Amino acid sequence: MPTNHQILLDNRPEGEAKASNFKLVTTQTPALTEGQVLVRHHFLSLDPYMRGRMNDSKSYAASQALGEVMIGGTVGEVAESKHPKFQPGDKVVGMGGWQEYSVVDAGQPGALRKVDTTHVPLSHYLGAVGMPGVTAWYGLVKIINPKAGDTVVVSAATGAVGSAFGALAKARGCRAVGIAGGPDKCKYAVEELGFDACIDYKLHKDAYSLAKALKDVCPKGIDGYFENVGGMVLDAVLLRMNAFGRIAVCGMIAGYDGQPMPLANPALILVNRLKVEGFIVSEHMEVWPEALTELGTLVGTGKLRPRETVAQGLASAPEAFLGLLKGKNFGKQLVKLV
C-alpha cells in the first residue's frame, strides 16, 4: 500500500491561526475492505470555513478533532476499488481531507461522486462547479431570489463563491456589484467576471466611506446582498439596502479569529423590513444537481471564467490557508498534490 502524507490539527489557535497549529505526518494507507475505494488526491480545497472548525466552540458543525486529518474537499482519481460502481481511473470528488490519499466507504450517500472532465477541468469541481459554486447558487436563487433589473452585491467578489455569484446574477439579468480587496481583484471582477462594478474596500477606512462608494455604483439601492465577510462591509451594505431587501449570510471571515463583531445599525433590519438568512449549503443537497448543471454550463461556455491560486505540495497547505484568511489568494485557493 502507498505511503500517505497527512496534515493533522495539532493544537487549537488562540486568536489568529498559525502554521504551528498543524502537524505533517507520514503513514501507510490501510488495506481496503469490501465497499471501499482508495483515492489518490490531485487537488485539495482550502476554504474559510475551516478556520471556524479549528475552534473548540459551538457552531453549525462539529469542531475539527485534535490529532485528526484536517477536513477538506478533494478531487482525484480512484487508485484501487472494492466497490462495483467505481473503477481505477475514475475521476472523483469527495471530502478526503488534508492528505494525499483517502480510503472512502463508497456506499455512503454523497461520500464520493464521479465527475466528467471533458469540458470542465478537474480542479473546478472544488470551486465554480463544486461546493463554492453551489453555495453562491443557493444564496442567490433560494434566499435573495432576484428579478431581472435588481441590484445585487457580493463581498469577497473574486473568490470561489463570489465569482460564481457574479456569473449567476448576470445570467438572471441583475446588476451585479462586487466588493474586493485591491485594484487587481476589482479589475478582474469587471473585465473577466462580468461584474457591472467592483469596489476596493481597502480604499475605505470606515463603513460610511464604503457606503458612499456603494451609493455611487448602486444609485437605485441594493436589493440583495450575499455576505461572506461581516464587520465594516456588512455595516456599509446595510446603509444602502432597499426596503424588503434580502441578505444571504454565508460567511463571516472578519470574525473567524473569535472576536465578536457587533453591528453598528441593527435597527436598519427593522426599518427596511429586511430578510436576513444564514445557510449551510451541505444542508440543502436537494438543489445540488440543478445548481451543478447550471454552473457546469456557465464554465463550459466561458461565461464563468474562474481563477485559481495553486500552492504546490501538501506541506504548503498551512501557509496557503493562512494566506487565504488574509485575502492573499486570487480566486479559488487550491493545493496541488500530484
Side-chain angles (χ1 to χ4, degrees):
M1 300 301 287
T3 298
N4 188 20
H5 295 100
Q6 304 173 316
I7 291 182
L8 316 179
L9 181 62
D10 187 57
N11 55 83
R12 300 204 186 278
E14 294 179 15
E16 200 171 295
K18 299 181 174 62
S20 58
N21 298 137
F22 304 97
K23 182 179 182 182
L24 178 65
V25 300
T26 303
T27 182
Q28 297 296 122
T29 57
L32 298 185
T33 59
E34 210 56 44
Q36 290 185 327
V37 171
L38 178 67
V39 180
R40 175 66 166 108
H41 302 152
H42 288 204
F43 291 94
L44 163 66
S45 174
L46 298 179
D47 299 281
Y49 76 83
M50 297 169 175
R51 176 62 189 84
R53 298 282 185 95
M54 292 170 71
N55 296 335
D56 186 16
S57 57
K58 184 182 183 300
S59 186
Y60 59 83
S63 297
Q64 167 73 44
L66 291 176
E68 298 285 337
V69 176
M70 273 292 293
I71 188 173
T74 49
V75 288
E77 187 173 318
V78 173
E80 184 186 345
S81 177
K82 288 198 172 182
H83 192 284
K85 290 186 178 176
F86 294 92
Q87 304 302 320
D90 285 348
K91 299 297 191 293
V92 292
V93 59
M95 291 293 288
W98 293 28
Q99 55 183 342
E100 294 169 340
Y101 290 87
S102 61
V103 173
V104 182
D105 291 319
Q108 286 189 341
L112 210 57
R113 180 167 58 88
K114 278 193 257 193
V115 294
D116 182 358
T117 56
T118 309
H119 302 292
V120 177
L122 182 62
S123 59
H124 285 0
Y125 286 103
L126 291 176
V129 195
M131 180 271 289
V134 180
T135 299
W137 189 96
Y138 189 90
L140 179 70
V141 176
K142 296 298 185 181
I143 297 176
I144 295 173
N145 187 24
K147 58 184 185 296
D150 278 0
T151 295
V152 295
V153 175
V154 60
S155 52
T158 61
V161 176
S163 56
F165 181 92
L168 292 163
K170 292 306 295 179
R172 284 160 176 77
C174 297
R175 176 173 175 78
V177 173
I179 301 172
D184 290 343
K185 288 183 178 181
C186 288
K187 184 180 179 186
Y188 165 66
V190 173
E191 294 183 1
E192 290 190 50
L193 293 175
F195 279 88
D196 294 285
C198 187
I199 296 170
D200 181 359
Y201 73 85
K202 291 184 176 180
L203 298 177
H204 303 279
K205 65 184 186 301
D206 58 38
Y208 293 99
S209 173
L210 183 56
K212 185 179 183 303
L214 280 166
K215 185 177 183 179
D216 291 340
V217 296
C218 304
K220 296 180 180 178
I222 298 168
D223 300 297
Y225 175 52
F226 191 104
E227 177 61 289
N228 286 310
V229 175
M232 177 187 90
V233 176
L234 178 56
D235 284 335
V237 172
L238 280 173
L239 290 166
R240 299 302 311 147
M241 289 296 296
N242 288 332
F244 304 103
R246 290 83 62 199
I247 299 177
V249 182
C250 165
M252 290 274 177
I253 198 169
Y256 280 174
D257 287 340
Q259 298 301 314
M261 285 187 301
L263 274 177
N265 293 292
L268 291 169
I269 297 171
L270 171 61
V271 171
N272 287 319
R273 286 84 83 207
L274 301 179
K275 172 186 175 183
V276 182
E277 183 175 339
F279 73 100
I280 307 301
V281 74
S282 57
E283 296 175 351
H284 304 282
M285 298 306 293
E286 73 283 354
V287 308
W288 281 56
E290 181 186 355
L292 290 169
T293 298
E294 181 177 356
L295 291 158
T297 301
L298 288 171
V299 170
T301 56
K303 291 178 180 173
L304 171 53
R305 293 188 284 176
R307 211 183 260 202
E308 297 172 335
T309 297
V310 184
Q312 299 292 326
L314 184 67
S316 70
E319 288 297 346
F321 175 63
L322 299 177
L324 164 75
L325 296 177
K326 290 183 164 61
K328 292 181 180 178
N329 60 302
F330 207 128
K332 175 66 193 173
Q333 179 66 61
L334 298 166
V335 181
K336 194 172 191 295
L337 300 176
V338 294

